[in-house]
Amino acid sequence: MIEVDVVDGIAVVRLAHGKVNALDLELCRAIERTMRDLDSREGLVRAVVVTGAGRAFSAGVDLKRVVDGGAAYVAEFLPALSGAFRSVFDLGKPVVAAVNGHAIAGGCVLAAACDHRIMASGTGRIGVPELRVGVPFPYTALEIMRFALGPVGARHAIFDGANHEPEAALALGLIDELSDPETLLDQAVAVARRMATDIAADAFRYTKAQLRHEVNERLDRVAEPETVRLWTTAATDGRIRAFMDRTVGSGAPTQPEAP
């Protein structure tokens, strides 16, 4: 489900869960456990690179599980999804996303939670089409997108709901740089190592916490009963199923596993 390799203090975390690394309850919990563990390994892990095994970084939430599980699954899954996002967002060491393929909706948010994002050219698209599916953003995802893109950029990305080719994503700020697919991981590891080497670990952790302080204060206060209700409604009134049918029929990269 998750593969971790640590070489010279740089941990490479690979999502390896099905064909497109769809975010389900089990993967979200595994992401949070892994990130919390890596954050605690002082002196052993200096930085983290997050990537996907196979053709996708992550094509987003496993919508079939949401539809099949209904209210009970949604109530358990959404906190786990937010926990996974926050475990990356709050990790007190440099975190670099090596976006090797499609990073759709939840996959895009996961990349946005990282400190630096590199995407391979010509291998996939990235974007946040949640509203096109008919579900609202969990508040954690909304805050992470606003932190990564600023309020105007986040508003445009969220309301537009489009998935973007890497070059367009770079112009929009969804990613920070491009790479050849063959050198993506090496490039991401080099950036992670440089960040870990050039900045003292305690100064980095403290500054990262300062930058995220206001976001985390808001996240710690928020409760999301309406988000749970709207996701449950979407799971049972046919709109998610209709999106899945449209997506599969069109051959779009989101598959049934977005957002």
Side-chain angles (χ1 to χ4, degrees), residues 99 101 103-104 108 111 117-122 124-128 145 148-149 153 157 162-178:
V99 183
I104 307 299
C108 179
R117 300 174 292 280
I118 309 172
M119 188 170 187
S121 299
R125 299 185 212 166
I126 185 170
V128 280
M145 294 306 298
L149 297 178
N163 295 318
H164 304 279
E165 300 290 343
E167 291 75 13
L170 178 64
L172 292 169
L174 285 167
I175 57 174
D176 296 303
E177 57 181 302
L178 298 175

Side-chain angles (χ1 to χ4, degrees), residues 191-214:
V191 171
R193 179 173 290 112
R194 184 170 65 248
M195 293 175 74
T197 301
D198 292 351
I199 306 172
D202 55 355
F204 184 91
R205 181 179 291 274
Y206 180 67
T207 302
K208 186 169 178 175
Q210 285 181 303
L211 287 169
R212 287 157 170 72
H213 177 70
E214 292 182 1

Side-chain angles (χ1 to χ4, degrees), residues 152-167:
V152 175
R155 172 168 55 84
H156 288 166
I158 289 166
F159 285 142
D160 179 60
N163 295 318
H164 304 279
E165 300 290 343
E167 291 75 13

Side-chain angles (χ1 to χ4, degrees), residues 96-244:
V96 177
V99 183
N100 58 300
H102 298 310
I104 307 299
C108 179
V109 176
L110 193 66
C114 298
D115 302 308
H116 192 81
R117 300 174 292 280
I118 309 172
M119 188 170 187
S121 299
T123 60
R125 299 185 212 166
I126 185 170
V128 280
E130 278 85 343
L131 296 186
R132 295 190 181 196
V133 181
V135 295
F137 274 68
Y139 194 60
T140 302
L142 196 67
E143 286 284 1
I144 287 172
M145 294 306 298
R146 185 157 49 198
F147 183 88
L149 297 178
V152 175
R155 172 168 55 84
H156 288 166
I158 289 166
F159 285 142
D160 179 60
N163 295 318
H164 304 279
E165 300 290 343
E167 291 75 13
L170 178 64
L172 292 169
L174 285 167
I175 57 174
D176 296 303
E177 57 181 302
L178 298 175
S179 171
D180 290 332
E182 296 79 10
T183 60
L184 171 67
L185 191 57
D186 288 342
Q187 188 169 330
V189 168
V191 171
R193 179 173 290 112
R194 184 170 65 248
M195 293 175 74
T197 301
D198 292 351
I199 306 172
D202 55 355
F204 184 91
R205 181 179 291 274
Y206 180 67
T207 302
K208 186 169 178 175
Q210 285 181 303
L211 287 169
R212 287 157 170 72
H213 177 70
E214 292 182 1
V215 172
N216 282 325
E217 275 198 334
R218 291 194 294 270
L219 291 175
D220 289 341
R221 291 196 305 264
V222 74
E224 297 197 82
E226 185 65 4
T227 303
V228 173
R229 185 189 73 78
L230 288 170
W231 273 69
T232 300
T233 298
T236 56
D237 70 2
R239 77 182 77 168
I240 292 180
R241 176 65 66 183
F243 173 82
M244 292 165 61

Side-chain angles (χ1 to χ4, degrees), residues 23 28 31-32 36 61 80-90 105-111 113 130 138 140-142 144:
L23 297 169
C28 287
I31 290 171
E32 181 169 9
R36 301 296 183 200
V61 169
L81 180 66
S82 291
F85 291 153
R86 288 197 72 175
S87 70
V88 177
F89 187 66
D90 292 340
C108 179
V109 176
L110 193 66
E130 278 85 343
T140 302
L142 196 67
I144 287 172

